[in-house]
Amino acid sequence: MRKFRKPLSLLLALMLALSMFGVCATASAAETQEPSAGGHTGTITVTSNVAQPVTVDFHEYNDTVTVTYSLQSTHKIVNTQATVHYDSSVLQLDEIDLDTNFPVLNKGSLILNTNIADNIYLNASKINFFSFKNQRVYYTQTFNIIGDGDTTVNLEMEILTGSDQDDPNLATSENDVELVTFGTVVTDEFTFTANAELSGEEPATDGATIKVVVPDSYLQTYKWNSVDLYYTSKSTYDEADHLAMTKTDDVYYVNTANNNIKSIVNASGW
């Protein structure tokens, strides 16, 4: 029979001892006041010791952020252990559904503990292996944005063990391939990515009203029949977009435009 090697840290062992039923998916005591989400600004950096960081800016209209870590490996995965660190003064852990948050790892033996503020501890193993041959979700979590400022969600991969034997009936511990051991990447034969997606959209606006005022001295000299106005985010005038104007009286030309106006390049006739 295959013998699994699941090196649990002393801290994780303590966390698991605090769990009555093995799986603890309850919010920490520090997060029970239910502060309101939304109305805050700042940045969220999603990172890991085995992934490149991703940073997103959140605004008043963003209520939540969904953080997703994905794994791809040619090796079948025997077991894994990780800790996710976050700041509960800015991010509040949302409801956890194991099938949603761990669509692959929950198919095996998954131990999860969220009972200590700012930390999520997880350990998972499967006797007939996890398959991440194609990129799949390792862990995804939604947080309510309840505070301002710059904050980080960091997944510290502690253990990631694969196997060079695809058939679990033939595999032994000698087939183990240590991808990550105690936080150190042993081999790069896997890809781990981080992603963040904010909820909410920038409120729609009715557009921008632009008024072009013609100086009195020019009114005495020229007869103003039209005004051409251009706007662009490009670097040259030739790439600018024409903004149609409507004459409302002798001194104002008014147009309602969308909120994509970057800069006024030219107002001919001045």
Side-chain angles (χ1 to χ4, degrees):
M1 178 179 292
R2 190 183 200 287
K3 294 182 180 180
F4 283 101
R5 290 183 291 160
K6 299 193 295 182
L8 298 176
S9 66
L10 292 177
L11 183 58
L12 181 60
L14 176 60
M15 298 303 101
L16 301 182
L18 295 174
S19 171
M20 182 178 298
F21 300 104
V23 175
C24 299
T26 57
S28 66
E31 297 179 293
T32 58
Q33 296 181 352
E34 299 298 330
S36 60
H40 305 284
T41 60
T43 64
I44 301 170
T45 300
V46 181
T47 188
S48 171
N49 61 323
V50 291
Q52 293 297 315
V54 173
T55 299
V56 293
D57 297 322
F58 62 90
H59 306 275
E60 291 88 349
Y61 51 83
N62 298 125
D63 294 330
T64 67
V65 61
T66 299
V67 173
T68 301
Y69 292 99
S70 300
L71 172 65
Q72 188 276 326
S73 177
T74 56
H75 296 290
K76 296 292 182 68
I77 300 302
V78 177
N79 65 285
T80 183
Q81 176 179 305
T83 302
V84 180
H85 308 281
Y86 66 98
D87 182 357
S88 58
S89 69
V90 180
L91 300 176
Q92 178 191 53
L93 194 64
D94 200 5
E95 181 180 353
I96 291 179
D97 177 81
L98 296 181
D99 286 333
T100 300
N101 296 87
F102 300 92
V104 179
L105 297 184
N106 196 41
K107 304 302 181 184
S109 175
L110 173 64
I111 301 175
L112 177 70
N113 196 316
T114 64
N115 277 343
I116 292 186
D118 298 355
N119 295 284
I120 302 166
Y121 302 91
L122 68 95
N123 180 279
S125 61
K126 190 177 182 183
I127 195 169
N128 57 347
F129 305 156
F130 299 110
S131 178
F132 287 91
K133 182 177 181 180
N134 298 315
Q135 187 181 67
R136 303 175 71 183
V137 172
Y138 178 88
Y139 174 47
T140 183
Q141 180 65 55
T142 297
F143 296 89
N144 298 311
I145 302 174
I146 60 171
D148 298 287
D150 300 339
T151 191
T152 299
V153 178
N154 179 47
L155 185 147
E156 183 181 354
M157 184 71 74
E158 297 161 356
I159 301 295
L160 186 63
T161 305
S163 177
D164 60 12
Q165 171 57 259
D166 289 341
D167 188 345
N169 295 315
L170 300 177
T172 69
S173 59
E174 294 181 356
N175 296 112
D176 285 355
V177 178
E178 302 297 342
L179 304 174
V180 180
T181 300
F182 296 110
T184 300
V185 177
V186 179
T187 175
D188 60 358
E189 296 176 352
F190 70 98
T191 301
F192 201 74
T193 58
N195 188 49
E197 185 174 349
L198 295 164
S199 70
E201 296 181 357
E202 184 175 2
T205 63
D206 294 331
T209 299
I210 301 174
K211 293 184 178 181
V212 180
V213 182
V214 180
D216 290 340
S217 60
Y218 281 86
L219 283 175
Q220 297 172 3
T221 307
Y222 301 100
K223 181 178 179 180
W224 290 73
N225 294 318
S226 65
V227 172
D228 291 324
L229 191 65
Y230 295 83
Y231 71 95
T232 186
S233 60
K234 308 295 184 179
S235 58
T236 65
Y237 173 81
D238 291 339
E239 297 178 279
D241 296 308
H242 180 254
L243 187 63
M245 305 296 288
T246 302
K247 182 177 180 179
T248 58
D249 53 42
D250 289 338
V251 292
Y252 289 106
Y253 288 83
V254 181
N255 182 83
T256 299
N258 62 37
N259 58 4
N260 291 324
I261 294 177
K262 303 300 183 182
S263 60
I264 297 174
V265 176
N266 179 59
S268 63
W270 284 77

